[in-house]
Amino acid sequence: MPDSFERSRPDLFDLRRTGIDPDYWYPLAWSGEIRKGKATGRHFAGEPIVLVRGESGRVYALEDRCAHRQVPLHAGVVEGDCLRCCYHGWTYDMSGRCIDVPYLGKDKLPNGVRAYPCQEKEGLVFIFPGDAARAEMTPLPVLPSISDPAYRTRRFGREVACHYSFMHENLIDMNHQFLHRKQMGQIRPRYLGHDAGEDWLEVRYSFARTAGRQPLGERLIFGTREGKAEPNDSLMTIRTDYPYQGLTIDLKSDRVMQLWIVYVPVDKDQKRIRTFGLLSVKKPRAAFLLHAAWPLLGWFTERIFSEDRWIVEQEQKAHDALGGNMNQEPFPVIRALQDLLARRGRLLSF
Amino acid sequence: MPDSFERSRPDLFDLRRTGIDPDYWYPLAWSGEIRKGKATGRHFAGEPIVLVRGESGRVYALEDRCAHRQVPLHAGVVEGDCLRCCYHGWTYDMSGRCIDVPYLGKDKLPNGVRAYPCQEKEGLVFIFPGDAARAEMTPLPVLPSISDPAYRTRRFGREVACHYSFMHENLIDMNHQFLHRKQMGQIRPRYLGHDAGEDWLEVRYSFARTAGRQPLGERLIFGTREGKAEPNDSLMTIRTDYPYQGLTIDLKSDRVMQLWIVYVPVDKDQKRIRTFGLLSVKKPRAAFLLHAAWPLLGWFTERIFSEDRWIVEQEQKAHDALGGNMNQEPFPVIRALQDLLARRGRLLSF
Amino acid sequence: MPDSFERSRPDLFDLRRTGIDPDYWYPLAWSGEIRKGKATGRHFAGEPIVLVRGESGRVYALEDRCAHRQVPLHAGVVEGDCLRCCYHGWTYDMSGRCIDVPYLGKDKLPNGVRAYPCQEKEGLVFIFPGDAARAEMTPLPVLPSISDPAYRTRRFGREVACHYSFMHENLIDMNHQFLHRKQMGQIRPRYLGHDAGEDWLEVRYSFARTAGRQPLGERLIFGTREGKAEPNDSLMTIRTDYPYQGLTIDLKSDRVMQLWIVYVPVDKDQKRIRTFGLLSVKKPRAAFLLHAAWPLLGWFTERIFSEDRWIVEQEQKAHDALGGNMNQEPFPVIRALQDLLARRGRLLSF
């Protein structure tokens, strides 16, 4: 039995207390949530951030604490492209500069608040929480094209009470299909291999139905499949492209499904995340079929997602109760993924 | 820009972790809440205190923990002017002495519990939580006379989840009228000056309506005011008389409103207070007008108070999240008030 | 006044932070709660334990954490007499050995989970949480015979938010009858004496009605009693047989009532317990009377129990707030009981 089967020593390095690398673009909201003339408060890893869409329609992001008395700016009033604090009326422009304190002369204006680089793409509002100087050279992630007419895309997301690493590991280890036995019938994944680079890891599976009737939701994603599949005609690829994650399904080299997802830490301890996901499904030749089945597909994915959410929250709770990692992990892909997430993360101080 | 504009270093002295001076009289209840033959449990800065009105009608205050097993005495039974613990029946007199343990001889009576000096005035039950030897030489606060027929007085109070210093600063800095823009229309205060002594600080403002229609509640307090006011005919005075606070409004030297308020720490960390306030409004010549408008005035002050409560609770939350003070404060009155509150307070150990 | 009347120093030994001795049999469930083919999660002193009744009908107990990723096994699937984890399908037998990981060869099976000795008796499922090697030589407790036709037995139990020592002290100190003055009328206990051994303590009381009408519930347990009782014809014996507790009532040497009860720590800090109790009442000559009054007896004991629960939870809260023991205890029986519980307990590390 290999060494790695030994239970880890909880006093050593702990992946679940590793902070995510802030020098990437992270979504904090769907574009539709940030309405013109409104300010919305969000959090990234414990930092309060206010998202504002002013008169011009452009979204910007500031530290969500007035420089005066630290009260939330998202309770303030949007004036043009500026934001006025609700308490004493201190006012900030898009760059976070304080441009007005009603009871002070303009020559005595105090320090302002931090601004975060902010961009919108494919209906998501991204901010760059790390070193702003690195924002421009850091590309936004590649997203499934919502405008491609061959696919239909579903947005989804919610809060999950766990460290982001549990989410990455959950998705990449397809051996957990037993968890979804009620939704996924008797699909049996087969590990085909994996590759890794400096900041990515990709694992491939084939899958076959071993028994049972195919549920309707599964049929929509995978198509109707009679008998056992041959490894060559089905391919599921799951890839962590730090800090994002993706999953694609190809049937006979035809991409029938594509998922993009990211897990954004909400609190300082990074034990809660908000997910933002885009799920693109190829339209069948008779497109109205997908249209008719769309609500069912939503139900199907929500059920699977809620099972995953429940189990990763159980993992977080067990980790909290044990005060460290006690896992024994026989699957090399998970160990490689944990190395990658640890390597790219930042030490959290508790 | 002055030095004080620099953000304070949070590792230094922290006013928000300063305990209030216990060597003053603090109200714990309205007289009407303490009914004859009943015991009522309250807290001062984490200390449980039971208020009892026995047969004689006199209210007294004891440590709210039986000397035997520390269970709350307020769950006990009032017998004459004594209080019998609900558990094993140990009984205490008004001075906290244990006068009966039903299953012990009278010659073996155990130690009793602490008694607090206790007095009633103008419908408030005050206790002296500090050194009892200093109670007699410490006067009760001067309160707006509820019996003066020229005024009508409203009692109000509730719990607020913040340190008392946030309340003092909120009231004394009239530049926060922007918070009440929906209630107070476009009133613009003008700072006239301030004075300070060993344990008090007083600041004066004039105020003028700059635009908009005067809301009804405002008209009741300030009277009808057409056009801009001259500084000389309106005067708002706010005064911290440690540990109490007051606010008066004079129009052409006629006192139209007087507020007395105190913020009593409830929990040990002093992050929650209970306010007790008396608001006296001068009756207009046609007194029935005030009578008719009284409920509206209540609504008006409740709305303003709930906005204040919300914002000071936001301040406390930000202070907790930041772990210290990060404010930059340009208004010298606030800095002087903070000095006063810090000077008179006691270090809290966490 | 004796030394023990001095308030204890809270920095010294603290009985309320003493862990119960795990080298005894403790019930975790009623037999009827553990149904065939089901797995049920429970806790002993913070350790999660899954109780499983497989195909064979025999109950077994395992650590309730999969050896793989620590998720609760009680959410898994019972297969024959084995338990399959809900997440990746790892499977354990009754001894905790891992016998299947669906995606690994049988020659590579990982370490399993801890198994607890487990037995059923008189409708209770007991486990042995300590050193398993000592389980066999440690007898199960003697329980009131549920099958004795002369008695009728009521099972009861619930969670209480306090250390087990408060429960032992509550029951053994009959001077607390004042707490139940509404249920128990004016019963006055009289202490007759006590005896103690290495791991037990027994105290005896007589009791007399001093005034008032006898409530119906009391009459059912004690019989109808006119006038004052003579010490010789009533005997209440309360006995702590570590870690269990019992109470018997004899009237003229006839045992009319017998209670067996145990307080099982739920959480790691042992500030919450689950009680399991068996209350046997002798059937009156006209047995249908007991049958008719049975619901009333339930109501009567529930009321008394809920008063006791409330007061011991107050004791725990006061202990938490004070950070240690401040009691002054004049009753020598309680001091002897505290010595016994401290002597047999284990130091808890916080």
Side-chain angles (χ1 to χ4, degrees):
Chain A
M1 209 171 289
D3 268 10
S4 55
F5 268 51
E6 298 301 309
R7 297 211 159 192
S8 315
R9 285 182 53 198
D11 52 336
L12 295 184
F13 174 81
D14 187 348
L15 173 61
R16 317 309 179 184
R17 290 181 185 168
T18 303
I20 213 163
D21 187 347
D23 285 336
Y24 285 93
W25 290 94
Y26 292 93
L28 286 193
W30 302 102
S31 290
E33 294 178 301
I34 311 304
R35 286 178 302 161
K36 204 180 255 196
K38 299 285 181 196
T40 306
R42 291 290 155 95
H43 283 86
F44 177 86
E47 291 182 41
I49 295 172
V50 56
L51 301 174
V52 186
R53 195 186 298 278
E55 202 86 333
S56 69
R58 223 187 110 195
V59 180
Y60 61 98
L62 304 178
E63 181 184 351
D64 193 10
R65 274 191 290 244
C66 181
H68 181 206
R69 296 180 70 90
Q70 322 304 325
V71 296
L73 288 173
H74 75 252
V77 176
V78 180
E79 293 180 358
D81 272 328
C82 293
L83 181 57
R84 186 177 290 276
C85 177
C86 72
Y87 200 0
H88 301 82
W90 293 30
T91 306
Y92 303 91
D93 68 12
M94 295 172 86
S95 72
R97 204 161 51 96
C98 181
I99 58 161
D100 187 34
V101 172
Y103 51 98
L104 276 188
K106 296 276 179 194
D107 53 326
K108 295 191 196 164
L109 290 172
N111 299 324
V113 296
R114 179 176 175 185
Y116 295 87
C118 183
Q119 291 191 62
E120 284 187 274
K121 183 177 177 182
E122 298 281 11
L124 282 164
V125 178
F126 287 87
I127 62 124
F128 194 91
D131 176 4
R134 308 186 63 159
E136 255 184 78
M137 64 182 127
T138 307
L140 284 161
V142 177
L143 300 173
S145 175
I146 286 170
S147 50
D148 185 335
Y151 293 85
R152 181 154 180 194
T153 300
R154 207 176 100 77
R155 293 185 178 92
F156 66 95
R158 63 182 69 181
E159 276 206 20
V160 185
C162 78
H163 189 257
Y164 59 87
S165 61
F166 290 117
M167 298 296 287
H168 276 272
E169 295 174 34
N170 170 272
L171 187 61
I172 224 161
D173 188 349
M174 270 298 125
N175 298 308
H176 88 270
Q177 53 75 35
F178 185 67
L179 181 67
H180 307 303
R181 58 201 176 275
K182 281 175 195 152
Q183 319 302 324
M184 302 272 266
Q186 301 291 330
I187 281 189
R188 175 65 60 99
R190 202 156 71 87
Y191 167 64
L192 299 177
H194 75 280
D195 292 296
E198 177 56 23
D199 59 0
W200 60 272
L201 181 146
E202 184 179 284
V203 56
R204 293 172 299 282
Y205 299 91
S206 67
F207 43 90
R209 163 162 297 282
T210 57
R213 264 188 77 221
Q214 190 183 34
L216 184 55
E218 182 191 312
R219 205 186 313 166
L220 278 163
I221 291 178
F222 295 95
T224 307
R225 297 167 56 75
E226 307 289 347
K228 291 199 180 192
E230 290 307 300
N232 289 346
D233 72 357
S234 70
L235 179 66
M236 178 184 286
T237 308
I238 305 166
R239 183 180 167 108
T240 287
D241 248 318
Y242 192 89
Y244 316 110
Q245 202 168 31
L247 179 155
T248 54
I249 296 175
D250 299 283
L251 291 177
K252 300 185 177 161
S253 305
D254 185 21
R255 178 141 304 172
V256 295
M257 204 199 90
Q258 185 173 0
L259 168 74
W260 177 88
I261 192 163
V262 63
Y263 319 110
V264 184
V266 173
D267 60 322
K268 201 178 167 204
D269 295 346
Q270 308 206 12
K271 290 182 176 182
R272 280 188 298 128
I273 51 151
R274 194 176 167 197
T275 64
F276 291 89
L278 297 171
L279 177 71
S280 293
V281 177
K282 190 162 192 188
K283 294 175 184 165
R285 256 165 258 161
F288 74 89
L289 278 178
L290 183 62
H291 185 72
W294 196 246
L296 265 176
L297 183 66
W299 175 86
F300 176 72
T301 49
E302 284 301 314
R303 283 297 300 268
I304 287 178
F305 190 82
S306 83
E307 287 170 346
D308 282 330
R309 179 168 61 162
W310 176 81
I311 201 76
V312 291
E313 292 187 342
Q314 294 299 317
E315 289 196 274
Q316 180 69 56
K317 278 181 197 167
H319 187 272
D320 288 344
L322 290 165
N325 179 44
M326 301 292 277
N327 291 0
Q328 50 180 340
E329 186 51 69
F331 192 31
V333 169
I334 294 295
R335 294 204 303 270
L337 176 62
Q338 290 173 338
D339 283 349
L340 164 58
L341 296 176
R343 210 163 58 231
R344 307 297 302 197
R346 303 279 177 99
L347 204 64
L348 283 181
S349 53
F350 279 74
Chain B
M1 205 170 289
D3 269 11
S4 55
F5 267 51
E6 297 301 308
R7 296 209 160 192
S8 314
R9 286 184 50 198
D11 51 336
L12 296 184
F13 173 80
D14 188 347
L15 172 61
R16 317 311 178 181
R17 290 182 185 165
T18 303
I20 212 161
D21 187 346
D23 284 337
Y24 285 92
W25 290 95
Y26 293 93
L28 286 192
W30 301 102
S31 290
E33 295 177 300
I34 312 303
R35 285 180 302 163
K36 202 180 253 198
K38 299 286 180 192
T40 306
R42 290 291 155 96
H43 284 86
F44 176 86
E47 290 181 43
I49 296 171
V50 57
L51 302 175
V52 185
R53 195 187 298 277
E55 203 86 332
S56 69
R58 222 186 111 197
V59 180
Y60 60 100
L62 305 179
E63 180 185 352
D64 193 10
R65 274 190 290 245
C66 181
H68 181 209
R69 296 180 70 92
Q70 321 305 324
V71 298
L73 287 173
H74 74 252
V77 176
V78 179
E79 292 182 357
D81 271 327
C82 294
L83 181 57
R84 185 177 290 276
C85 176
C86 72
Y87 199 0
H88 301 82
W90 292 30
T91 306
Y92 303 90
D93 67 12
M94 295 174 86
S95 71
R97 202 161 53 93
C98 182
I99 58 162
D100 186 35
V101 172
Y103 51 98
L104 277 188
K106 296 278 178 191
D107 52 328
K108 295 189 194 165
L109 290 173
N111 299 325
V113 296
R114 179 175 175 186
Y116 295 87
C118 183
Q119 290 191 61
E120 286 187 274
K121 182 178 176 182
E122 299 281 8
L124 283 164
V125 178
F126 287 86
I127 61 126
F128 195 90
D131 176 3
R134 309 186 63 159
E136 256 182 78
M137 64 182 125
T138 307
L140 284 162
V142 177
L143 300 173
S145 176
I146 287 171
S147 49
D148 185 335
Y151 293 86
R152 181 155 181 193
T153 300
R154 210 177 98 76
R155 294 184 178 93
F156 66 96
R158 63 182 70 183
E159 275 206 21
V160 185
C162 78
H163 189 257
Y164 60 87
S165 61
F166 291 116
M167 297 295 288
H168 276 272
E169 296 174 35
N170 170 272
L171 186 61
I172 224 161
D173 188 350
M174 270 298 124
N175 298 306
H176 88 270
Q177 52 75 35
F178 184 66
L179 180 67
H180 307 303
R181 58 201 177 274
K182 281 175 194 150
Q183 319 302 325
M184 302 271 268
Q186 301 292 330
I187 281 190
R188 176 65 59 99
R190 203 158 70 88
Y191 168 63
L192 299 178
H194 75 278
D195 293 295
E198 177 56 24
D199 59 359
W200 61 273
L201 181 145
E202 184 179 283
V203 56
R204 294 171 300 281
Y205 300 91
S206 67
F207 44 90
R209 162 160 299 280
T210 57
R213 266 188 75 222
Q214 189 183 35
L216 184 55
E218 183 190 312
R219 203 186 314 164
L220 279 163
I221 291 178
F222 296 95
T224 308
R225 295 167 58 75
E226 306 290 347
K228 293 198 180 190
E230 290 308 301
N232 289 345
D233 73 357
S234 70
L235 179 67
M236 179 185 285
T237 308
I238 305 166
R239 183 181 168 106
T240 287
D241 249 318
Y242 191 90
Y244 317 110
Q245 202 169 29
L247 179 153
T248 54
I249 297 174
D250 299 285
L251 291 177
K252 301 184 177 160
S253 305
D254 185 23
R255 179 141 303 173
V256 295
M257 204 198 91
Q258 185 174 359
L259 168 74
W260 177 88
I261 192 161
V262 62
Y263 318 111
V264 184
V266 173
D267 60 324
K268 200 180 169 204
D269 295 347
Q270 308 205 12
K271 290 182 176 182
R272 279 188 298 129
I273 51 152
R274 193 175 170 199
T275 65
F276 292 87
L278 297 171
L279 177 72
S280 293
V281 177
K282 189 162 192 188
K283 293 176 186 166
R285 254 165 259 158
F288 72 90
L289 279 178
L290 182 64
H291 184 71
W294 195 246
L296 265 175
L297 184 66
W299 175 86
F300 175 73
T301 48
E302 284 300 314
R303 284 297 300 269
I304 286 178
F305 190 82
S306 81
E307 287 169 346
D308 282 329
R309 179 169 61 163
W310 177 81
I311 200 75
V312 292
E313 292 187 342
Q314 295 299 318
E315 289 196 273
Q316 180 68 57
K317 278 183 197 167
H319 187 271
D320 288 345
L322 289 165
N325 180 44
M326 302 292 277
N327 290 0
Q328 47 179 343
E329 186 50 69
F331 192 30
V333 170
I334 295 295
R335 294 204 301 271
L337 176 61
Q338 290 174 339
D339 283 349
L340 164 58
L341 296 176
R343 210 163 57 231
R344 306 298 303 199
R346 303 278 177 99
L347 203 63
L348 283 180
S349 54
F350 279 75
Chain C
M1 207 172 289
D3 268 11
S4 54
F5 269 51
E6 297 303 307
R7 295 208 161 195
S8 315
R9 286 183 51 199
D11 52 337
L12 296 183
F13 173 81
D14 187 348
L15 173 61
R16 317 309 179 182
R17 291 181 184 166
T18 303
I20 213 162
D21 186 346
D23 285 335
Y24 284 93
W25 289 95
Y26 292 94
L28 286 193
W30 302 103
S31 290
E33 295 178 300
I34 311 305
R35 285 179 302 162
K36 203 179 253 197
K38 299 285 181 196
T40 305
R42 291 291 157 95
H43 284 86
F44 177 86
E47 291 182 41
I49 295 172
V50 56
L51 302 174
V52 185
R53 194 186 299 277
E55 203 84 333
S56 70
R58 221 187 112 195
V59 180
Y60 61 98
L62 305 178
E63 181 185 352
D64 193 11
R65 275 190 289 244
C66 181
H68 181 207
R69 296 179 70 90
Q70 320 307 323
V71 296
L73 287 173
H74 74 252
V77 176
V78 179
E79 293 181 356
D81 271 328
C82 293
L83 182 57
R84 185 176 290 276
C85 177
C86 71
Y87 200 178
H88 300 82
W90 292 31
T91 306
Y92 303 91
D93 67 11
M94 295 173 86
S95 72
R97 203 162 51 95
C98 182
I99 58 162
D100 186 36
V101 173
Y103 51 99
L104 276 188
K106 296 278 181 193
D107 53 327
K108 295 190 196 165
L109 290 173
N111 300 326
V113 296
R114 178 175 176 187
Y116 295 86
C118 184
Q119 291 191 63
E120 286 186 274
K121 182 177 177 182
E122 297 281 10
L124 282 165
V125 178
F126 287 87
I127 61 125
F128 194 91
D131 176 4
R134 309 186 64 158
E136 256 183 78
M137 63 182 127
T138 308
L140 283 162
V142 177
L143 300 173
S145 177
I146 286 171
S147 49
D148 186 335
Y151 292 86
R152 182 155 180 192
T153 300
R154 210 177 97 77
R155 294 183 177 94
F156 66 96
R158 63 182 69 184
E159 275 205 22
V160 184
C162 78
H163 189 257
Y164 58 88
S165 61
F166 290 116
M167 297 295 287
H168 275 273
E169 295 174 34
N170 169 272
L171 187 61
I172 224 160
D173 188 350
M174 270 299 125
N175 297 307
H176 88 269
Q177 54 75 35
F178 184 66
L179 180 67
H180 307 303
R181 58 200 176 276
K182 281 174 196 152
Q183 319 302 327
M184 301 272 267
Q186 300 292 329
I187 280 189
R188 176 66 59 97
R190 203 158 70 88
Y191 167 64
L192 300 177
H194 75 279
D195 292 294
E198 176 57 23
D199 58 359
W200 62 273
L201 182 147
E202 184 179 283
V203 57
R204 293 172 300 281
Y205 300 90
S206 67
F207 44 90
R209 164 161 297 281
T210 57
R213 264 188 76 222
Q214 188 183 35
L216 185 54
E218 182 191 311
R219 203 185 315 166
L220 279 163
I221 291 179
F222 296 95
T224 307
R225 295 167 58 72
E226 306 290 348
K228 293 200 181 188
E230 290 305 302
N232 290 344
D233 72 0
S234 70
L235 179 66
M236 179 184 285
T237 309
I238 306 167
R239 182 180 169 108
T240 287
D241 248 318
Y242 191 90
Y244 317 109
Q245 202 169 30
L247 180 155
T248 53
I249 297 175
D250 299 283
L251 291 177
K252 300 183 177 161
S253 305
D254 185 22
R255 178 141 306 173
V256 294
M257 204 198 90
Q258 184 172 3
L259 168 74
W260 177 89
I261 192 161
V262 64
Y263 318 110
V264 184
V266 173
D267 60 323
K268 200 179 167 203
D269 295 346
Q270 308 205 13
K271 290 181 178 184
R272 280 189 298 129
I273 52 151
R274 194 176 169 199
T275 64
F276 291 88
L278 297 171
L279 177 70
S280 292
V281 177
K282 188 161 193 188
K283 293 176 185 165
R285 255 165 258 159
F288 74 90
L289 278 178
L290 182 61
H291 184 71
W294 196 246
L296 264 176
L297 183 65
W299 175 86
F300 175 73
T301 49
E302 284 300 314
R303 283 297 299 268
I304 287 178
F305 190 81
S306 82
E307 287 170 346
D308 282 329
R309 179 168 62 162
W310 177 81
I311 200 76
V312 292
E313 292 187 343
Q314 294 300 318
E315 289 196 273
Q316 181 68 57
K317 279 182 197 168
H319 188 271
D320 288 344
L322 290 166
N325 180 43
M326 302 291 277
N327 290 359
Q328 49 180 340
E329 185 50 68
F331 192 31
V333 170
I334 294 295
R335 295 205 302 271
L337 175 61
Q338 290 174 340
D339 283 349
L340 163 59
L341 296 176
R343 210 163 58 231
R344 305 299 301 199
R346 303 278 177 100
L347 205 63
L348 283 181
S349 54
F350 279 74

